[in-house]
Amino acid sequence: MRMTLAVHPEQYTIHSFSPNAVLPNEVFAQDIYFIGKTPEGLSLVISSDIMLDSLEQEPGWRCFEALGPLGFLTTGLLSKVSSTLADENISIFAMSTFDTDYILVKHNRLDLAIEALKKQGYHIIESKDEA
């Protein structure tokens, strides 16, 4: 089966907060956001259009969405994508949900990432959730 990855049109920013930070309600009103919390800190991925006062932030990420649903029996997707991109010296930030995986790459490496993934047989489309 040929895997399809949809490229989201917007750019995202990865934020770092203290583990006890209270996020503004604006975060929860967004269509897409990801939160990861550990005893060491809280990470948030959100549209770069949203300005937040975080400890650190890394703007300018673009997102590939693995179209699914994939289910828990799908194995190796992140491994294969990350290996393909690592071979081109492209760093990623990966996130997973119950239904699918998301792979972020820096916006200035997006074209190279698309080219590398296509060479490995991935079908790349524009996200149907265009802004």
Side-chain angles (χ1 to χ4, degrees), residues 4-26:
T4 300
L5 300 173
V7 180
H8 289 221
E10 58 273 304
Q11 289 191 27
Y12 294 91
T13 299
I14 303 169
H15 293 271
S16 175
F17 294 92
S18 67
N20 58 349
V22 176
L23 297 175
N25 287 335
E26 180 181 22

Side-chain angles (χ1 to χ4, degrees), residues 40-62:
E40 291 77 34
L42 186 147
S43 297
L44 170 69
V45 177
I46 195 164
S47 170
S48 292
D49 293 339
I50 307 301
M51 298 299 153
L52 299 172
D53 185 22
S54 52
L55 298 173
E56 291 183 65
Q57 54 186 265
E58 180 72 29
W61 293 83
R62 293 289 301 275

